[in-house]
Amino acid sequence: MQLKNRTVLITGGASGIGLEFAKQLLAKQNTVIITGRNPEKLAKAKAQLPKLHAIRSDVSDITQVESLCVQVCRDFPDLDVLINNAGIMKTMNLHEERSLQDVTKEIETNLMGPIRMTQKFLPHLKKRPAAALVNVSSGLAFVPLPISPVYCATKAGLHSFTLSLRVQLAQTKVKVFEVAPPATETELLGDFNSPDMKGISIMKVDAMVEHSIRGIENDHYEIRPGQSNQLKFMSRLAPEFILNQMSKPVERMLKGGAARAS
Ligand SMILES: NC(=O)c1ccc[n+]([C@@H]2O[C@H](COP(=O)([O-])OP(=O)(O)OC[C@H]3O[C@@H](n4cnc5c(N)ncnc54)[C@H](OP(=O)(O)O)[C@@H]3O)[C@@H](O)[C@H]2O)c1
């Protein structure tokens, strides 16, 4: 699907991968609308890219998803691409006490968010002559990194939802894409220390997004840049080995927890 002269809505577009998508899509003469929760981050993105349209909206809040849909479909009736990109990632020691609200926050943002956005925007997208839904999952959709157990469950869930959505929309003009980034240089990795990232190569965000846009333009429905491709391959070829490799940071986390408890 050509990404030129389109109208694109990107959730979580004020930083990282979403902002880079916005930048590269503006350069290709698209109209770009971004969302996010933090008004200061949105204003900063708008100052950096004045042609951007920025709307404050939280994908984990049903009312805000509903009002976003009304506002965007009214003000941007040519909307034809939705990029479900907003996401949060936590490291989580499941032995530790945590509120029930906090333990599922990633599910509300990373999984319920894209499902609700899809549900609300699909009727509009189906009316367009050509449209696309792009779900940003992760290489961790294929193999979990057990130090972030809920995050990885959300990404595996989003991968599964995207497969089903693609099947159900096969007879429509809405194409369904999945971008599964590898570790990419953004604020999201801020929680991780360098021993946890050992052996993981971190992709530059501009290269990751360039790869993804090229994939969408070539109708590659599951785009797995860099190490994400290896993760998918290894999850089929040697699932126990790769899970074992991904589990090493947990040993350090549990030792740290035990040290704090003693
Ligand atoms: N970086 C990586 O290594 C990596 C790897 C694989 C997949 N991904 C995925 O790529 C996507 C983008 O992440 P990123 O790396 O670019 O991280 P990022 O720079 O932290 O960007 C995430 C964006 O989402 C927004 N956001 C968070 N919760 C939101 C909510 N409830 N409603 C609306 N917006 C929300 C944040 O802005 P506010 O805080 O202002 O809302 C932020 O701008 C995520 O889905 C992430 O899981 C990233």
Side-chain angles (χ1 to χ4, degrees), residues 11-18 35-38 41 57-60 85-88 109-110 136-139 151 155 180-189:
T11 65
S15 64
I17 292 170
T35 71
R37 294 165 302 175
N38 181 332
K41 272 170 72 177
S57 182
D58 181 339
V59 292
S60 69
N85 164 77
I88 51 171
T109 304
N110 304 357
V136 179
S137 64
S138 168
Y151 176 83
K155 295 300 183 177
T184 305
E185 203 172 24
T186 71
E187 287 167 24
L188 191 95
L189 297 182

PDB file of all heavy atoms in Angstrom, residues 11-18 35-38 41 57-60 85-88 109-110 136-139 151 155 180-189, ligand 1:
ATOM      1  N   THR A  11      -1.364   6.514  17.236  1.00  0.00           N
ATOM      2  CA  THR A  11      -1.492   6.632  18.690  1.00  0.00           C
ATOM      3  C   THR A  11      -0.082   6.615  19.301  1.00  0.00           C
ATOM      4  O   THR A  11       0.819   5.943  18.790  1.00  0.00           O
ATOM      5  CB  THR A  11      -2.333   5.487  19.294  1.00  0.00           C
ATOM      6  OG1 THR A  11      -1.652   4.248  19.095  1.00  0.00           O
ATOM      7  CG2 THR A  11      -3.724   5.434  18.674  1.00  0.00           C
ATOM      8  N   GLY A  12       0.087   7.353  20.385  1.00  0.00           N
ATOM      9  CA  GLY A  12       1.416   7.406  21.023  1.00  0.00           C
ATOM     10  C   GLY A  12       2.454   7.981  20.080  1.00  0.00           C
ATOM     11  O   GLY A  12       3.586   7.497  20.025  1.00  0.00           O
ATOM     12  N   GLY A  13       2.091   9.044  19.366  1.00  0.00           N
ATOM     13  CA  GLY A  13       2.991   9.572  18.333  1.00  0.00           C
ATOM     14  C   GLY A  13       3.883  10.711  18.787  1.00  0.00           C
ATOM     15  O   GLY A  13       4.574  11.311  17.965  1.00  0.00           O
ATOM     16  N   ALA A  14       3.913  11.003  20.083  1.00  0.00           N
ATOM     17  CA  ALA A  14       4.707  12.156  20.535  1.00  0.00           C
ATOM     18  C   ALA A  14       6.162  11.814  20.830  1.00  0.00           C
ATOM     19  O   ALA A  14       6.961  12.699  21.125  1.00  0.00           O
ATOM     20  CB  ALA A  14       4.056  12.783  21.771  1.00  0.00           C
ATOM     21  N   SER A  15       6.516  10.540  20.763  1.00  0.00           N
ATOM     22  CA  SER A  15       7.920  10.169  21.001  1.00  0.00           C
ATOM     23  C   SER A  15       8.240   8.871  20.280  1.00  0.00           C
ATOM     24  O   SER A  15       7.339   8.188  19.757  1.00  0.00           O
ATOM     25  CB  SER A  15       8.192  10.019  22.508  1.00  0.00           C
ATOM     26  OG  SER A  15       7.428   8.942  23.036  1.00  0.00           O
ATOM     27  N   GLY A  16       9.517   8.532  20.264  1.00  0.00           N
ATOM     28  CA  GLY A  16       9.987   7.218  19.822  1.00  0.00           C
ATOM     29  C   GLY A  16       9.530   6.807  18.427  1.00  0.00           C
ATOM     30  O   GLY A  16       9.603   7.585  17.466  1.00  0.00           O
ATOM     31  N   ILE A  17       9.054   5.585  18.335  1.00  0.00           N
ATOM     32  CA  ILE A  17       8.687   4.987  17.045  1.00  0.00           C
ATOM     33  C   ILE A  17       7.518   5.764  16.421  1.00  0.00           C
ATOM     34  O   ILE A  17       7.521   6.046  15.214  1.00  0.00           O
ATOM     35  CB  ILE A  17       8.335   3.489  17.254  1.00  0.00           C
ATOM     36  CG1 ILE A  17       9.607   2.714  17.633  1.00  0.00           C
ATOM     37  CG2 ILE A  17       7.676   2.899  16.004  1.00  0.00           C
ATOM     38  CD1 ILE A  17       9.367   1.280  18.100  1.00  0.00           C
ATOM     39  N   GLY A  18       6.537   6.153  17.224  1.00  0.00           N
ATOM     40  CA  GLY A  18       5.382   6.883  16.702  1.00  0.00           C
ATOM     41  C   GLY A  18       5.795   8.221  16.110  1.00  0.00           C
ATOM     42  O   GLY A  18       5.345   8.599  15.020  1.00  0.00           O
ATOM     43  N   THR A  35      -1.555  11.100  18.718  1.00  0.00           N
ATOM     44  CA  THR A  35      -2.193  11.203  20.035  1.00  0.00           C
ATOM     45  C   THR A  35      -1.179  10.843  21.126  1.00  0.00           C
ATOM     46  O   THR A  35      -0.124  10.257  20.843  1.00  0.00           O
ATOM     47  CB  THR A  35      -3.391  10.243  20.188  1.00  0.00           C
ATOM     48  OG1 THR A  35      -2.887   8.901  20.272  1.00  0.00           O
ATOM     49  CG2 THR A  35      -4.372  10.366  19.037  1.00  0.00           C
ATOM     50  N   GLY A  36      -1.548  11.162  22.349  1.00  0.00           N
ATOM     51  CA  GLY A  36      -0.735  10.805  23.508  1.00  0.00           C
ATOM     52  C   GLY A  36      -1.410  11.366  24.739  1.00  0.00           C
ATOM     53  O   GLY A  36      -2.386  12.117  24.619  1.00  0.00           O
ATOM     54  N   ARG A  37      -0.897  11.011  25.929  1.00  0.00           N
ATOM     55  CA  ARG A  37      -1.530  11.477  27.162  1.00  0.00           C
ATOM     56  C   ARG A  37      -0.952  12.786  27.648  1.00  0.00           C
ATOM     57  O   ARG A  37      -1.617  13.574  28.304  1.00  0.00           O
ATOM     58  CB  ARG A  37      -1.344  10.428  28.269  1.00  0.00           C
ATOM     59  CG  ARG A  37      -2.047   9.120  28.030  1.00  0.00           C
ATOM     60  CD  ARG A  37      -1.522   8.056  28.973  1.00  0.00           C
ATOM     61  NE  ARG A  37      -0.068   7.878  28.802  1.00  0.00           N
ATOM     62  CZ  ARG A  37       0.695   7.099  29.545  1.00  0.00           C
ATOM     63  NH1 ARG A  37       0.153   6.407  30.533  1.00  0.00           N
ATOM     64  NH2 ARG A  37       1.992   7.008  29.314  1.00  0.00           N
ATOM     65  N   ASN A  38       0.321  13.009  27.366  1.00  0.00           N
ATOM     66  CA  ASN A  38       1.034  14.134  27.981  1.00  0.00           C
ATOM     67  C   ASN A  38       1.019  15.355  27.047  1.00  0.00           C
ATOM     68  O   ASN A  38       1.649  15.337  25.987  1.00  0.00           O
ATOM     69  CB  ASN A  38       2.476  13.658  28.256  1.00  0.00           C
ATOM     70  CG  ASN A  38       3.324  14.704  28.918  1.00  0.00           C
ATOM     71  OD1 ASN A  38       3.089  15.897  28.752  1.00  0.00           O
ATOM     72  ND2 ASN A  38       4.337  14.264  29.649  1.00  0.00           N
ATOM     73  N   LYS A  41       4.443  16.753  25.924  1.00  0.00           N
ATOM     74  CA  LYS A  41       5.126  15.957  24.889  1.00  0.00           C
ATOM     75  C   LYS A  41       4.498  16.213  23.517  1.00  0.00           C
ATOM     76  O   LYS A  41       5.185  16.298  22.506  1.00  0.00           O
ATOM     77  CB  LYS A  41       5.024  14.460  25.227  1.00  0.00           C
ATOM     78  CG  LYS A  41       6.160  13.974  26.121  1.00  0.00           C
ATOM     79  CD  LYS A  41       5.934  12.571  26.637  1.00  0.00           C
ATOM     80  CE  LYS A  41       6.079  11.489  25.618  1.00  0.00           C
ATOM     81  NZ  LYS A  41       5.899  10.144  26.228  1.00  0.00           N
ATOM     82  N   SER A  57      -5.158  12.196  23.966  1.00  0.00           N
ATOM     83  CA  SER A  57      -6.106  11.086  24.094  1.00  0.00           C
ATOM     84  C   SER A  57      -5.381   9.860  24.655  1.00  0.00           C
ATOM     85  O   SER A  57      -4.251   9.559  24.268  1.00  0.00           O
ATOM     86  CB  SER A  57      -6.697  10.758  22.713  1.00  0.00           C
ATOM     87  OG  SER A  57      -7.637   9.722  22.827  1.00  0.00           O
ATOM     88  N   ASP A  58      -6.069   9.170  25.548  1.00  0.00           N
ATOM     89  CA  ASP A  58      -5.499   8.007  26.235  1.00  0.00           C
ATOM     90  C   ASP A  58      -6.184   6.744  25.687  1.00  0.00           C
ATOM     91  O   ASP A  58      -7.399   6.580  25.850  1.00  0.00           O
ATOM     92  CB  ASP A  58      -5.771   8.176  27.747  1.00  0.00           C
ATOM     93  CG  ASP A  58      -5.218   7.047  28.590  1.00  0.00           C
ATOM     94  OD1 ASP A  58      -4.967   5.951  28.052  1.00  0.00           O
ATOM     95  OD2 ASP A  58      -5.047   7.263  29.803  1.00  0.00           O
ATOM     96  N   VAL A  59      -5.421   5.852  25.058  1.00  0.00           N
ATOM     97  CA  VAL A  59      -6.040   4.656  24.446  1.00  0.00           C
ATOM     98  C   VAL A  59      -6.588   3.669  25.474  1.00  0.00           C
ATOM     99  O   VAL A  59      -7.336   2.768  25.120  1.00  0.00           O
ATOM    100  CB  VAL A  59      -5.087   3.868  23.510  1.00  0.00           C
ATOM    101  CG1 VAL A  59      -4.737   4.626  22.266  1.00  0.00           C
ATOM    102  CG2 VAL A  59      -3.862   3.351  24.229  1.00  0.00           C
ATOM    103  N   SER A  60      -6.207   3.845  26.746  1.00  0.00           N
ATOM    104  CA  SER A  60      -6.692   2.892  27.749  1.00  0.00           C
ATOM    105  C   SER A  60      -8.029   3.349  28.358  1.00  0.00           C
ATOM    106  O   SER A  60      -8.577   2.685  29.232  1.00  0.00           O
ATOM    107  CB  SER A  60      -5.646   2.690  28.857  1.00  0.00           C
ATOM    108  OG  SER A  60      -5.523   3.859  29.633  1.00  0.00           O
ATOM    109  N   ASN A  85       0.056   2.304  17.859  1.00  0.00           N
ATOM    110  CA  ASN A  85       1.464   2.264  18.276  1.00  0.00           C
ATOM    111  C   ASN A  85       1.651   2.472  19.776  1.00  0.00           C
ATOM    112  O   ASN A  85       2.625   1.990  20.350  1.00  0.00           O
ATOM    113  CB  ASN A  85       2.223   3.352  17.490  1.00  0.00           C
ATOM    114  CG  ASN A  85       3.568   3.681  18.079  1.00  0.00           C
ATOM    115  OD1 ASN A  85       4.524   2.936  17.911  1.00  0.00           O
ATOM    116  ND2 ASN A  85       3.658   4.798  18.806  1.00  0.00           N
ATOM    117  N   ALA A  86       0.715   3.186  20.445  1.00  0.00           N
ATOM    118  CA  ALA A  86       0.918   3.532  21.859  1.00  0.00           C
ATOM    119  C   ALA A  86       1.205   2.272  22.678  1.00  0.00           C
ATOM    120  O   ALA A  86       0.541   1.244  22.504  1.00  0.00           O
ATOM    121  CB  ALA A  86      -0.329   4.227  22.411  1.00  0.00           C
ATOM    122  N   GLY A  87       2.183   2.372  23.548  1.00  0.00           N
ATOM    123  CA  GLY A  87       2.500   1.208  24.376  1.00  0.00           C
ATOM    124  C   GLY A  87       3.340   1.584  25.570  1.00  0.00           C
ATOM    125  O   GLY A  87       4.031   2.602  25.579  1.00  0.00           O
ATOM    126  N   ILE A  88       3.247   0.764  26.604  1.00  0.00           N
ATOM    127  CA  ILE A  88       4.091   0.925  27.790  1.00  0.00           C
ATOM    128  C   ILE A  88       4.706  -0.435  28.117  1.00  0.00           C
ATOM    129  O   ILE A  88       4.132  -1.475  27.773  1.00  0.00           O
ATOM    130  CB  ILE A  88       3.302   1.471  29.012  1.00  0.00           C
ATOM    131  CG1 ILE A  88       2.024   0.634  29.267  1.00  0.00           C
ATOM    132  CG2 ILE A  88       2.959   2.930  28.841  1.00  0.00           C
ATOM    133  CD1 ILE A  88       1.320   0.980  30.566  1.00  0.00           C
ATOM    134  N   THR A 109      -3.433  -0.693  27.950  1.00  0.00           N
ATOM    135  CA  THR A 109      -2.832   0.189  26.927  1.00  0.00           C
ATOM    136  C   THR A 109      -2.460  -0.585  25.661  1.00  0.00           C
ATOM    137  O   THR A 109      -2.829  -0.195  24.551  1.00  0.00           O
ATOM    138  CB  THR A 109      -1.562   0.861  27.510  1.00  0.00           C
ATOM    139  OG1 THR A 109      -1.923   1.543  28.714  1.00  0.00           O
ATOM    140  CG2 THR A 109      -0.953   1.843  26.528  1.00  0.00           C
ATOM    141  N   ASN A 110      -1.732  -1.681  25.822  1.00  0.00           N
ATOM    142  CA  ASN A 110      -1.099  -2.337  24.664  1.00  0.00           C
ATOM    143  C   ASN A 110      -2.031  -3.300  23.933  1.00  0.00           C
ATOM    144  O   ASN A 110      -1.790  -3.621  22.774  1.00  0.00           O
ATOM    145  CB  ASN A 110       0.126  -3.160  25.106  1.00  0.00           C
ATOM    146  CG  ASN A 110       1.166  -2.357  25.864  1.00  0.00           C
ATOM    147  OD1 ASN A 110       1.020  -1.149  26.026  1.00  0.00           O
ATOM    148  ND2 ASN A 110       2.204  -3.019  26.331  1.00  0.00           N
ATOM    149  N   VAL A 136       1.360  -2.175  16.030  1.00  0.00           N
ATOM    150  CA  VAL A 136       2.774  -2.271  16.419  1.00  0.00           C
ATOM    151  C   VAL A 136       2.867  -3.243  17.592  1.00  0.00           C
ATOM    152  O   VAL A 136       2.454  -2.936  18.708  1.00  0.00           O
ATOM    153  CB  VAL A 136       3.346  -0.879  16.790  1.00  0.00           C
ATOM    154  CG1 VAL A 136       4.806  -1.005  17.208  1.00  0.00           C
ATOM    155  CG2 VAL A 136       3.209   0.085  15.608  1.00  0.00           C
ATOM    156  N   SER A 137       3.368  -4.431  17.306  1.00  0.00           N
ATOM    157  CA  SER A 137       3.511  -5.434  18.368  1.00  0.00           C
ATOM    158  C   SER A 137       4.963  -5.397  18.854  1.00  0.00           C
ATOM    159  O   SER A 137       5.448  -4.350  19.274  1.00  0.00           O
ATOM    160  CB  SER A 137       3.088  -6.820  17.858  1.00  0.00           C
ATOM    161  OG  SER A 137       3.950  -7.253  16.831  1.00  0.00           O
ATOM    162  N   SER A 138       5.691  -6.511  18.703  1.00  0.00           N
ATOM    163  CA  SER A 138       7.083  -6.566  19.161  1.00  0.00           C
ATOM    164  C   SER A 138       7.655  -7.920  18.758  1.00  0.00           C
ATOM    165  O   SER A 138       6.902  -8.892  18.595  1.00  0.00           O
ATOM    166  CB  SER A 138       7.119  -6.439  20.690  1.00  0.00           C
ATOM    167  OG  SER A 138       8.398  -6.764  21.193  1.00  0.00           O
ATOM    168  N   GLY A 139       8.984  -7.991  18.661  1.00  0.00           N
ATOM    169  CA  GLY A 139       9.634  -9.298  18.510  1.00  0.00           C
ATOM    170  C   GLY A 139       9.304 -10.186  19.706  1.00  0.00           C
ATOM    171  O   GLY A 139       9.299 -11.422  19.607  1.00  0.00           O
ATOM    172  N   TYR A 151       3.874  -7.414  29.705  1.00  0.00           N
ATOM    173  CA  TYR A 151       4.138  -6.760  28.417  1.00  0.00           C
ATOM    174  C   TYR A 151       4.160  -7.793  27.296  1.00  0.00           C
ATOM    175  O   TYR A 151       3.501  -7.628  26.264  1.00  0.00           O
ATOM    176  CB  TYR A 151       5.482  -6.017  28.481  1.00  0.00           C
ATOM    177  CG  TYR A 151       5.895  -5.394  27.164  1.00  0.00           C
ATOM    178  CD1 TYR A 151       5.397  -4.153  26.774  1.00  0.00           C
ATOM    179  CD2 TYR A 151       6.790  -6.040  26.314  1.00  0.00           C
ATOM    180  CE1 TYR A 151       5.771  -3.574  25.561  1.00  0.00           C
ATOM    181  CE2 TYR A 151       7.167  -5.471  25.097  1.00  0.00           C
ATOM    182  CZ  TYR A 151       6.650  -4.231  24.735  1.00  0.00           C
ATOM    183  OH  TYR A 151       7.022  -3.668  23.529  1.00  0.00           O
ATOM    184  N   LYS A 155       1.790  -8.378  23.852  1.00  0.00           N
ATOM    185  CA  LYS A 155       2.275  -8.363  22.469  1.00  0.00           C
ATOM    186  C   LYS A 155       1.944  -9.676  21.756  1.00  0.00           C
ATOM    187  O   LYS A 155       1.616  -9.675  20.573  1.00  0.00           O
ATOM    188  CB  LYS A 155       3.779  -8.046  22.433  1.00  0.00           C
ATOM    189  CG  LYS A 155       4.107  -6.647  22.942  1.00  0.00           C
ATOM    190  CD  LYS A 155       3.435  -5.554  22.118  1.00  0.00           C
ATOM    191  CE  LYS A 155       3.793  -4.149  22.556  1.00  0.00           C
ATOM    192  NZ  LYS A 155       3.188  -3.103  21.712  1.00  0.00           N
ATOM    193  N   ALA A 180       6.492  -5.613  13.995  1.00  0.00           N
ATOM    194  CA  ALA A 180       7.016  -6.212  15.231  1.00  0.00           C
ATOM    195  C   ALA A 180       8.443  -5.703  15.434  1.00  0.00           C
ATOM    196  O   ALA A 180       9.402  -6.356  14.996  1.00  0.00           O
ATOM    197  CB  ALA A 180       6.979  -7.734  15.117  1.00  0.00           C
ATOM    198  N   PRO A 181       8.613  -4.544  16.088  1.00  0.00           N
ATOM    199  CA  PRO A 181       9.966  -3.993  16.216  1.00  0.00           C
ATOM    200  C   PRO A 181      10.863  -4.876  17.092  1.00  0.00           C
ATOM    201  O   PRO A 181      10.378  -5.511  18.043  1.00  0.00           O
ATOM    202  CB  PRO A 181       9.756  -2.633  16.895  1.00  0.00           C
ATOM    203  CG  PRO A 181       8.303  -2.329  16.781  1.00  0.00           C
ATOM    204  CD  PRO A 181       7.609  -3.671  16.730  1.00  0.00           C
ATOM    205  N   PRO A 182      12.171  -4.857  16.793  1.00  0.00           N
ATOM    206  CA  PRO A 182      13.135  -5.437  17.745  1.00  0.00           C
ATOM    207  C   PRO A 182      13.433  -4.365  18.786  1.00  0.00           C
ATOM    208  O   PRO A 182      12.809  -3.298  18.759  1.00  0.00           O
ATOM    209  CB  PRO A 182      14.350  -5.668  16.837  1.00  0.00           C
ATOM    210  CG  PRO A 182      14.281  -4.528  15.871  1.00  0.00           C
ATOM    211  CD  PRO A 182      12.806  -4.235  15.629  1.00  0.00           C
ATOM    212  N   ALA A 183      14.389  -4.622  19.686  1.00  0.00           N
ATOM    213  CA  ALA A 183      14.801  -3.554  20.620  1.00  0.00           C
ATOM    214  C   ALA A 183      15.214  -2.340  19.787  1.00  0.00           C
ATOM    215  O   ALA A 183      16.049  -2.449  18.894  1.00  0.00           O
ATOM    216  CB  ALA A 183      15.962  -4.040  21.466  1.00  0.00           C
ATOM    217  N   THR A 184      14.584  -1.214  20.064  1.00  0.00           N
ATOM    218  CA  THR A 184      14.787  -0.002  19.254  1.00  0.00           C
ATOM    219  C   THR A 184      15.097   1.149  20.204  1.00  0.00           C
ATOM    220  O   THR A 184      14.533   1.222  21.306  1.00  0.00           O
ATOM    221  CB  THR A 184      13.483   0.300  18.454  1.00  0.00           C
ATOM    222  OG1 THR A 184      13.140  -0.859  17.694  1.00  0.00           O
ATOM    223  CG2 THR A 184      13.657   1.469  17.510  1.00  0.00           C
ATOM    224  N   GLU A 185      15.992   2.030  19.762  1.00  0.00           N
ATOM    225  CA  GLU A 185      16.480   3.114  20.636  1.00  0.00           C
ATOM    226  C   GLU A 185      15.378   4.156  20.897  1.00  0.00           C
ATOM    227  O   GLU A 185      15.201   5.082  20.113  1.00  0.00           O
ATOM    228  CB  GLU A 185      17.667   3.778  19.947  1.00  0.00           C
ATOM    229  CG  GLU A 185      18.596   4.482  20.870  1.00  0.00           C
ATOM    230  CD  GLU A 185      19.842   4.952  20.135  1.00  0.00           C
ATOM    231  OE1 GLU A 185      19.815   5.135  18.908  1.00  0.00           O
ATOM    232  OE2 GLU A 185      20.844   5.140  20.834  1.00  0.00           O
ATOM    233  N   THR A 186      14.602   3.967  21.966  1.00  0.00           N
ATOM    234  CA  THR A 186      13.560   4.940  22.356  1.00  0.00           C
ATOM    235  C   THR A 186      13.505   4.979  23.890  1.00  0.00           C
ATOM    236  O   THR A 186      14.152   4.177  24.561  1.00  0.00           O
ATOM    237  CB  THR A 186      12.150   4.524  21.863  1.00  0.00           C
ATOM    238  OG1 THR A 186      11.723   3.403  22.631  1.00  0.00           O
ATOM    239  CG2 THR A 186      12.116   4.210  20.382  1.00  0.00           C
ATOM    240  N   GLU A 187      12.624   5.860  24.395  1.00  0.00           N
ATOM    241  CA  GLU A 187      12.455   5.983  25.859  1.00  0.00           C
ATOM    242  C   GLU A 187      11.952   4.696  26.497  1.00  0.00           C
ATOM    243  O   GLU A 187      12.116   4.467  27.687  1.00  0.00           O
ATOM    244  CB  GLU A 187      11.412   7.076  26.166  1.00  0.00           C
ATOM    245  CG  GLU A 187      11.896   8.479  25.928  1.00  0.00           C
ATOM    246  CD  GLU A 187      10.754   9.495  25.935  1.00  0.00           C
ATOM    247  OE1 GLU A 187       9.701   9.220  26.542  1.00  0.00           O
ATOM    248  OE2 GLU A 187      10.934  10.566  25.327  1.00  0.00           O
ATOM    249  N   LEU A 188      11.297   3.847  25.709  1.00  0.00           N
ATOM    250  CA  LEU A 188      10.691   2.628  26.254  1.00  0.00           C
ATOM    251  C   LEU A 188      11.720   1.723  26.945  1.00  0.00           C
ATOM    252  O   LEU A 188      11.403   0.997  27.881  1.00  0.00           O
ATOM    253  CB  LEU A 188      10.014   1.847  25.110  1.00  0.00           C
ATOM    254  CG  LEU A 188       9.108   0.701  25.518  1.00  0.00           C
ATOM    255  CD1 LEU A 188       7.667   1.191  25.594  1.00  0.00           C
ATOM    256  CD2 LEU A 188       9.182  -0.438  24.509  1.00  0.00           C
ATOM    257  N   LEU A 189      12.955   1.768  26.457  1.00  0.00           N
ATOM    258  CA  LEU A 189      13.980   0.874  27.015  1.00  0.00           C
ATOM    259  C   LEU A 189      14.608   1.442  28.282  1.00  0.00           C
ATOM    260  O   LEU A 189      15.493   0.822  28.859  1.00  0.00           O
ATOM    261  CB  LEU A 189      15.065   0.595  25.963  1.00  0.00           C
ATOM    262  CG  LEU A 189      14.594  -0.143  24.700  1.00  0.00           C
ATOM    263  CD1 LEU A 189      15.777  -0.396  23.763  1.00  0.00           C
ATOM    264  CD2 LEU A 189      13.939  -1.481  25.050  1.00  0.00           C
TER     265      LEU A 189
HETATM  266  N1  LIG B   1      11.484   0.569  21.689  1.00  0.00           N
HETATM  267  C1  LIG B   1      11.473  -0.741  21.602  1.00  0.00           C
HETATM  268  O1  LIG B   1      12.500  -1.410  21.848  1.00  0.00           O
HETATM  269  C2  LIG B   1      10.233  -1.467  21.144  1.00  0.00           C
HETATM  270  C3  LIG B   1      10.372  -2.810  20.755  1.00  0.00           C
HETATM  271  C4  LIG B   1       9.231  -3.500  20.358  1.00  0.00           C
HETATM  272  C5  LIG B   1       8.003  -2.872  20.329  1.00  0.00           C
HETATM  273  N2  LIG B   1       7.902  -1.564  20.698  1.00  0.00           N
HETATM  274  C6  LIG B   1       6.570  -0.955  20.686  1.00  0.00           C
HETATM  275  O2  LIG B   1       6.585   0.241  19.937  1.00  0.00           O
HETATM  276  C7  LIG B   1       5.558   1.101  20.399  1.00  0.00           C
HETATM  277  C8  LIG B   1       6.122   2.499  20.606  1.00  0.00           C
HETATM  278  O3  LIG B   1       7.060   2.462  21.674  1.00  0.00           O
HETATM  279  P1  LIG B   1       8.375   3.356  21.709  1.00  0.00           P
HETATM  280  O4  LIG B   1       9.527   2.446  21.771  1.00  0.00           O
HETATM  281  O5  LIG B   1       8.340   4.391  20.653  1.00  0.00           O
HETATM  282  O6  LIG B   1       8.262   3.996  23.161  1.00  0.00           O
HETATM  283  P2  LIG B   1       7.947   5.481  23.662  1.00  0.00           P
HETATM  284  O7  LIG B   1       8.905   6.454  23.090  1.00  0.00           O
HETATM  285  O8  LIG B   1       7.811   5.367  25.129  1.00  0.00           O
HETATM  286  O9  LIG B   1       6.532   5.789  22.976  1.00  0.00           O
HETATM  287  C9  LIG B   1       5.328   5.303  23.442  1.00  0.00           C
HETATM  288  C10 LIG B   1       4.319   6.414  23.268  1.00  0.00           C
HETATM  289  O10 LIG B   1       3.028   5.923  23.673  1.00  0.00           O
HETATM  290  C11 LIG B   1       2.376   6.939  24.374  1.00  0.00           C
HETATM  291  N3  LIG B   1       1.428   6.310  25.277  1.00  0.00           N
HETATM  292  C12 LIG B   1       1.674   5.497  26.336  1.00  0.00           C
HETATM  293  N4  LIG B   1       0.521   5.126  26.924  1.00  0.00           N
HETATM  294  C13 LIG B   1      -0.473   5.705  26.206  1.00  0.00           C
HETATM  295  C14 LIG B   1      -1.869   5.704  26.314  1.00  0.00           C
HETATM  296  N5  LIG B   1      -2.495   5.025  27.295  1.00  0.00           N
HETATM  297  N6  LIG B   1      -2.590   6.407  25.420  1.00  0.00           N
HETATM  298  C15 LIG B   1      -1.977   7.108  24.433  1.00  0.00           C
HETATM  299  N7  LIG B   1      -0.652   7.144  24.274  1.00  0.00           N
HETATM  300  C16 LIG B   1       0.100   6.462  25.156  1.00  0.00           C
HETATM  301  C17 LIG B   1       3.473   7.708  25.113  1.00  0.00           C
HETATM  302  O11 LIG B   1       3.130   9.073  25.317  1.00  0.00           O
HETATM  303  P3  LIG B   1       2.389   9.587  26.658  1.00  0.00           P
HETATM  304  O12 LIG B   1       3.169   9.063  27.807  1.00  0.00           O
HETATM  305  O13 LIG B   1       2.401  11.063  26.522  1.00  0.00           O
HETATM  306  O14 LIG B   1       1.005   9.044  26.583  1.00  0.00           O
HETATM  307  C18 LIG B   1       4.622   7.630  24.119  1.00  0.00           C
HETATM  308  O15 LIG B   1       4.676   8.776  23.286  1.00  0.00           O
HETATM  309  C19 LIG B   1       5.004   0.463  21.670  1.00  0.00           C
HETATM  310  O16 LIG B   1       3.799  -0.217  21.386  1.00  0.00           O
HETATM  311  C20 LIG B   1       6.077  -0.528  22.052  1.00  0.00           C
HETATM  312  O17 LIG B   1       5.577  -1.605  22.797  1.00  0.00           O
HETATM  313  C21 LIG B   1       8.987  -0.850  21.108  1.00  0.00           C
END
